[in-house]
Amino acid sequence: MFLKDYITDVYKAVRSLLTGMKKTGYYFVHPSEIITQQYPENRHDLNLPERFRGEVVMSHDENNEHACTGCTACELACPNGTIKIITKFDITPEGKKKKAIDTFIYHLELCTMCNLCVQACPTDAIKMSQKFEHSVYDRSRLTKKLNQPGSKIREGVE
Amino acid sequence: MFSLAHITQIIHDWLYSSFDPTLALIIECAIVILVAIGIFAVLGLVLVLMERKVAAHIQIRLGPNRVGPGGMFQTVADTLKLIMKEGLTPDLADKFLFNLAPFLVMIVAMLLLAPIAFAKGVQIWDINIGVLYISAVSSLSVIGILMAGWASNNKYSLLGAMRSGAQIVSYELSAGFSILTIVVLTGSLRLSDIIASQENGWWIFKGHIPVIIAFILFIIAATAETNRAPFDLAEAESELTAGFHTEYSGMRFALFFLAEYINIFIVCAIGATLFLGGWMPLHIGGWEGFNHLMDYIPSSFWFIGKTFFLIFLIMWFRWTFPRLRVDQLLNLEWKYLLPISLINLLLVTVIAIMGWYF
Amino acid sequence: MNAHAIIFYLISAFLLGTGILSVTTKKIFRSAIWLLFSLVGIASLYFWMEVEFVAAVQIIVYVGGIVILIIFSIFLTQQSGKEMPGPGLLRTVFSLLAVLFGAGFCCMLINEYGFTQLPGNQFSVAVADIGTQMLSTAEHGFVLPFEVVSMLLLGAMIGCIVIAMKSKEAKNKGVLENEQEAVGTVISSQQNNTL
């Protein structure tokens, strides 16, 4: 009984080792599996995975309109105070006051790319872009204003 | 036909015809020393690069690729960097032993190079107890490790040295037993006799399953004796920073690093000599035409090919298997490898007495 | 004096020097290392005499085995890194006397018998011959001492196992304690979780 267990142990051990070696050996003889990217050379045809997150951007359409209502859900969702929204009150044609954004301030240097703000946004106004070359010479240039100058909220977005 | 033995014979004859015998002997010694150091340097550079490339390809990476074409000169650049770095000595270290240890490890590696047959007729010292000499001298390398660990005055170094000592002392047993199987089959300890006995086929083919088991045991024990993963708990990075060479820097660290790779080469060369026929080309008893064809490949190529195959195997292990715990390591040796190798030795003895090998 | 003799004197000087250092140094680990070098020196003397088998056995047994055990026991000793106090006056005197006695005894033996050159090279013994002699039952065969030594080793091994083995009682107790500890840790981790 003991001998049987002993031999089974040895057999199982050898088999599991061979399984591992088969996998690594497969990778060794298949250079096409290599996922390393030669970055500065292939800068123009980069192949970034879909889930890669570079920075938060606000999408604007051709009329320079965005979908941000200034609800500050993203600001509340952000775990480390990356987003700061300054709101203002627009006067609608009917003469009513309506809340809108004045400036969407985004501190790239604080951002951890956790994606919580994008998930919190009720109107899909912000999204993650894949730009990653963020190095600048001055820290203050990392503080960005996401809504373009003169942009306004798209019609029909509440 | 290309033959290293021919070249050495020409040099030998020329030296003895132009100088008096004592001077010629001294010059020959100097040449051998220079060649050995050259082999060391080249092996160090090639093996480190090979390790990094193999590791990269197994982990779906490219590895070093910036210095030179395909990263070929990466290790040369690393060596230059290590030469220029400052060699620090810790304040409360035992300075004499601290400085001595890397050289001791290196000297042991050099001593081990002596009986290895690199090609037909190219062997520094064909000592009549070759295999015993190797197992005796290789047990010295643990002294250098223990010395380094103690003299560093560092808890990590000491723990690493202790682990390494326990490991090498216990795995020497099963390495010795697996070497003994070949000695039993050959009936000689001299390396050239062992190689000559494989003229009609390598032992791994001639000796059936027991020799294959012995070969596997030898490879496992060799991996453990050279302190490589999965048995690298002497320098387990996540537990002991770097083990016995934590405090070493600059060229002294490079010597440890180089000695590690030279030891791998030597262990693999011994494995290739004992089980795969050393420089002996692939011969199959009875197939005269095939044997003759194989003889056209120079013997040095055979030796280097076999040795590098084994080195690749050991690298493959390193980048596949996770590290063992100390208790698992000792369990493996004393509960599995040692009993198996004892029974295996008995089997081989029966085979050798009955003449059941080819 | 030829090169052969020069090498002999070099090895001897190394051997004696390291031997003296190993008994005079005050650091115990260094003492072990000097002892090691001294033993390696003896092995190289055997190599010089071209009795390779004895040299290799010397390295395996003394250097690879005994000195490593000594080093291990030094590692496991407390305060072994400290510098030892020097020997007292009495001890110095007696050790010097012992050295003088030994040296005098050797001198006397050499004076009485001298060195005689034996005809031929006595040492060219093949390893196979050593093995045959070891297991030979004929005259000058070593099979009886060989077997007696193996019995001694077997006794030592069994003794080791007996010392290392836990008695059944202690084993059970140990298991129980471990279980209790395990239960304790589980409980405490659960408490942590609820907290």
Side-chain angles (χ1 to χ4, degrees), chain B residues 128-140:
Chain B
N128 62 355
I129 49 151
V131 177
L132 191 66
Y133 171 87
I134 285 162
S135 46
V137 174
S138 65
S139 70
L140 282 177

Side-chain angles (χ1 to χ4, degrees), chain C residues 20-120:
Chain C
I20 290 169
L21 275 172
S22 100
V23 291
T24 51
T25 182
K26 284 181 182 170
K27 286 179 180 159
I28 188 160
F29 184 71
R30 275 202 189 185
S31 169
I33 295 294
W34 289 126
L35 175 66
L36 173 122
F37 281 135
S38 169
L39 292 171
V40 170
I42 292 173
S44 52
L45 209 56
Y46 286 136
F47 274 119
W48 176 83
M49 288 192 269
E50 293 176 4
V51 278
E52 284 93 358
F53 182 73
V54 183
V57 170
Q58 160 87 11
I59 291 180
I60 289 180
V61 173
Y62 285 98
V63 181
I66 289 176
V67 171
I68 292 194
L69 279 183
I70 291 176
I71 290 176
F72 260 82
S73 42
I74 290 172
F75 276 12
L76 296 172
T77 316
Q78 275 195 337
Q79 298 192 334
S80 46
K82 298 263 166 57
E83 207 159 290
M84 296 290 175
L89 182 71
L90 204 64
R91 220 189 270 182
T92 321
V93 169
F94 274 106
S95 50
L96 276 178
L97 279 179
V99 168
L100 281 177
F101 173 74
F105 190 64
C106 286
C107 284
M108 199 191 79
L109 280 181
I110 292 166
N111 261 335
E112 199 158 325
Y113 298 103
F115 294 108
T116 43
Q117 184 81 41
L118 287 171

Side-chain angles (χ1 to χ4, degrees), chain A residues 14-28:
Chain A
V14 172
R15 213 185 65 169
S16 71
L17 293 182
L18 286 179
T19 314
M21 284 178 71
K22 201 177 133 198
K23 188 74 189 164
T24 45
Y26 171 81
Y27 282 137
F28 184 77

Side-chain angles (χ1 to χ4, degrees), chain B residues 194-332:
Chain B
I194 290 174
I195 295 170
S197 72
Q198 311 187 50
E199 195 167 3
N200 56 349
W202 305 341
W203 276 120
I204 198 162
F205 300 134
K206 286 205 298 181
H208 310 299
I209 296 164
V211 174
I212 294 174
I213 294 174
F215 179 66
I216 294 169
L217 293 173
F218 178 80
I219 290 287
I220 295 173
T223 318
E225 275 205 63
T226 45
N227 278 329
R228 281 179 66 82
F231 305 102
D232 65 338
L233 63 182
E235 44 196 284
E237 291 89 348
S238 46
E239 302 154 30
L240 299 177
T241 62
F244 62 89
H245 55 63
T246 304
E247 294 287 355
Y248 283 89
S249 58
M251 208 52 216
R252 286 197 292 254
F253 167 73
L255 282 181
F256 271 120
F257 204 59
L258 188 61
E260 188 191 326
Y261 281 92
I262 301 296
N263 278 332
I264 293 163
F265 175 80
I266 286 164
V267 158
C268 290
I270 302 295
T273 309
L274 293 176
F275 296 95
L276 303 177
W279 50 258
M280 191 63 80
L282 178 61
H283 283 176
I284 297 171
W287 297 17
E288 288 309 320
F290 178 76
N291 293 351
H292 200 65
L293 196 70
M294 283 296 167
D295 282 339
Y296 276 105
I297 304 174
S299 55
S300 47
F301 284 25
W302 279 104
F303 174 77
I304 288 170
K306 288 169 193 172
T307 307
F308 271 75
F309 167 71
L310 290 185
I311 292 172
F312 171 71
L313 208 62
I314 282 184
M315 285 180 181
W316 193 358
F317 292 159
R318 171 163 185 179
W319 300 107
T320 307
F321 303 143
R323 183 184 304 133
L324 275 77
R325 255 186 352 247
V326 178
D327 60 322
Q328 291 170 335
L329 179 95
L330 295 177
N331 263 347
L332 176 67

Side-chain angles (χ1 to χ4, degrees), chain C residues 3-21:
Chain C
H4 205 59
I6 292 173
I7 292 172
F8 170 76
Y9 284 117
L10 280 178
I11 294 172
S12 309
F14 175 77
L15 213 162
L16 288 175
T18 49
I20 290 169
L21 275 172

Side-chain angles (χ1 to χ4, degrees), chain B residues 102-180:
Chain B
F103 294 100
L104 196 76
V105 173
M106 205 64 199
I107 288 168
V108 170
M110 277 199 161
L111 283 175
L112 283 174
L113 210 61
I116 290 173
F118 287 93
K120 196 174 185 170
V122 180
Q123 194 173 6
I124 297 175
W125 188 20
D126 191 11
I127 179 174
N128 62 355
I129 49 151
V131 177
L132 191 66
Y133 171 87
I134 285 162
S135 46
V137 174
S138 65
S139 70
L140 282 177
S141 70
V142 65
I143 301 281
I145 291 172
L146 288 173
M147 211 193 262
W150 174 266
S152 298
N153 191 33
N154 179 319
K155 59 190 170 196
Y156 296 127
S157 304
L158 190 60
L159 279 173
M162 287 284 275
R163 285 183 182 189
S164 163
Q167 184 179 327
I168 292 179
V169 168
S170 43
Y171 275 79
E172 232 162 48
L173 287 170
S174 46
F177 278 121
S178 49
I179 289 174
L180 267 185

